[in-house]
Amino acid sequence: MTLGLIRPEGVAYDPAAARYVLTVRYNPLLEPGLPSMAPSDMRPAHTPSSSPSPDSIERLAADAMRSVFGKDPDARVAVSLSGGVDSTLVLGLLRRHFPDLDVTAISVRFGDGNDETGAAARTAEHLGVRHVIVDVDDYTCDLPAAIHAASQPMWDLHWYHVAKRAAAESADILVSGDGGDELFGGYTFRYQKFLAAVGGTTDSPDKRARAYIECHLRDHVPDQEAVFGPRMEFSWNDIWRVLRPHFDNGLEPLEQVFLADYNGKLLYNFAHVSRAMSRHFGIRTASPLLSNDMVRHAMGVRTDEKYDAARGVGKLPLRTLLGSMGLGHLISGSKMGFSPDTVSYWRRYGYDVCDSYLGGAAARTVSDGWINRDWIRRNLSRDIRDVRYVNKLLGLLAFEVWYRIFVTCDMDPEAGLG
């Protein structure tokens, strides 16, 4: 049997897709749903005397919204609201430019994780929109349904819960702040670590690519190559081949990181997943920060206009716009997004479900030669404390579920995991 991950439109592609998803958390073999960016697109479009203004960003976002809502003024709208900069800004702009739209804000609260729904609730109340909270305690219960909707072997599919609730609210359009982190320097927790790991501009592209992936603790484990069975044919050289072009150019180090972030998870994970989920539930999506004009504009903004390295603060243009709208006080101090605490979750639910589907002789992906049984035997334990290994086992669970749905076809995606 040949493994091919299934695109939403039903076209099979190279089996190497699985090792990409399980190593960098995206599949670069997909057709990108957004325009890819080249190093030349990162060259600053602004001089110090003509820095990007809040007005220019607002105009571009409003134009993107107008292209959607101007044609459907009676649409029922749901907004994914995490309580952070991007979703707060998008909701604020939506209320400012389309005050008559019927809007519901949706937040997700995990049983194990940072509960930021309080900030989201304050934002919704301030802006006069209805707010609903989706409580998700054991998110592996819905994992088969989420994977079936996304057609990808991924475990962190919170968008499934947002889109499902939006459909239940009879929304026509689901709006998100997707793109803010990648376009305007929001992954601040990684930038200093990356800069500390690389030297000056003389560092080799491979060294920078390695430093980049080392900053992504959710994606790989130190013994990553030992995770896979012989049929997967895993090679780090294959991973560097994907990442190297983002670092083999004359850009400054953080510009290269911004380029890799945009051309990686945003193009081949987040954008695909949000569209697939919304299509599954019969609703449309709108991401005002990801219009072609906004992407081109943001890529031309200088690094120091996006990210204040001394303070460790990113998304400076978006924060300035929020402040000018009188919404800056609504943002929570430390933004984590819809993110569960996977180590805590592992002890309550994760170990048991992974043991059931991956332990012993249960795993189809192991018996068929894709995943290494010895690696699972060494690492499958209730007492794991290293978040990287918890996340990797959850990733292997997602791969197992995907495999049973789309390859062996012996799992009902609506049955859930017990």
Side-chain angles (χ1 to χ4, degrees), residues 107-122:
S107 302
V108 177
R109 177 167 55 203
F110 292 100
D112 299 276
N114 299 284
D115 183 5
E116 297 175 320
T117 56
R122 289 191 294 274

Side-chain angles (χ1 to χ4, degrees), residues 80-375:
S80 174
L81 183 63
S82 67
V85 170
D86 309 330
S87 61
T88 299
L89 176 60
V90 166
L91 180 57
L93 292 173
L94 185 63
R95 297 302 288 161
R96 172 182 278 191
H97 291 273
F98 301 92
D100 297 327
L101 281 177
D102 181 356
V103 178
T104 298
I106 301 175
S107 302
V108 177
R109 177 167 55 203
F110 292 100
D112 299 276
N114 299 284
D115 183 5
E116 297 175 320
T117 56
R122 289 191 294 274
T123 297
E125 181 180 11
H126 182 85
L127 293 171
V129 302
R130 180 171 173 264
H131 182 227
V132 297
I133 298 173
V134 181
D135 283 300
V136 180
D137 188 34
D138 182 1
Y139 47 86
T140 55
C141 286
D142 293 319
L143 190 59
I147 288 174
H148 183 251
S151 299
Q152 300 295 313
M154 300 170 178
W155 65 267
D156 51 341
L157 296 172
H158 77 268
W159 198 253
Y160 171 83
H161 303 285
V162 177
K164 182 178 180 179
R165 184 55 185 259
E169 296 291 330
S170 300
D172 303 300
I173 301 171
L174 176 55
V175 181
S176 79
D178 285 356
D181 287 316
E182 293 81 6
L183 294 177
F184 292 98
Y187 294 122
T188 57
F189 55 92
R190 289 199 274 102
Y191 301 154
Q192 287 301 328
K193 184 176 180 180
F194 174 81
L195 291 174
V198 302
T201 56
T202 58
D203 281 333
S204 70
D206 280 358
K207 181 177 179 180
R208 292 191 182 188
R210 285 178 170 82
Y212 176 77
I213 200 171
E214 285 298 323
C215 294
H216 291 73
L217 296 183
R218 295 180 64 185
D219 299 340
H220 69 286
V221 290
D223 55 346
Q224 178 74 10
E225 62 278 0
V227 172
F228 302 107
R231 293 187 70 183
M232 197 67 80
E233 298 181 347
F234 177 80
S235 166
W236 276 115
N237 288 333
D238 191 32
I239 304 302
W240 306 139
R241 180 183 58 80
V242 172
L243 294 176
R244 187 180 296 114
H246 309 317
F247 299 93
D248 190 9
N249 51 61
L251 297 176
E252 294 299 316
L254 278 188
E255 288 181 314
Q256 294 178 333
V257 170
F258 295 158
L259 185 67
D261 283 348
Y262 177 88
N263 283 329
K265 290 189 184 72
L266 182 60
L267 258 64
Y268 298 109
N269 179 335
F270 303 149
H272 275 277
V273 167
S274 63
R275 282 196 305 272
M277 294 297 184
S278 298
R279 182 169 53 243
H280 177 78
F281 287 106
I283 53 181
R284 290 175 285 157
T285 58
S287 300
L289 299 183
L290 283 177
S291 70
N292 289 344
D293 289 340
M294 184 70 82
V295 170
R296 284 193 292 269
H297 174 79
M299 286 298 182
V301 177
R302 294 200 324 267
T303 297
D304 63 345
E305 292 178 325
K306 298 178 182 180
Y307 172 61
D308 183 336
R311 295 188 298 138
V313 177
K315 296 192 273 199
L316 299 179
L318 304 187
R319 291 178 185 275
T320 299
L321 178 54
L322 271 176
S324 72
M325 296 171 64
L327 302 177
H329 67 286
L330 297 171
I331 303 302
S332 57
S334 178
K335 184 71 197 77
M336 296 299 292
F338 297 139
S339 56
D341 178 344
T342 54
V343 173
S344 175
Y345 171 80
W346 178 259
R347 296 191 184 109
R348 291 204 303 130
Y349 298 112
Y351 168 75
D352 289 329
V353 71
C354 282
D355 185 50
S356 177
Y357 285 88
L358 299 176
R364 308 287 197 278
T365 52
V366 170
S367 60
D368 286 355
W370 300 103
I371 302 300
N372 182 358
R373 188 185 306 278
D374 289 339
W375 187 91

Side-chain angles (χ1 to χ4, degrees), residues 20 53 69 73 129 211 248 300 353 360 372 378 387 411:
Y20 291 129
S53 68
F69 303 120
V129 302
D248 190 9
V353 71
N372 182 358
R378 288 196 306 270
V387 67
M411 176 177 282

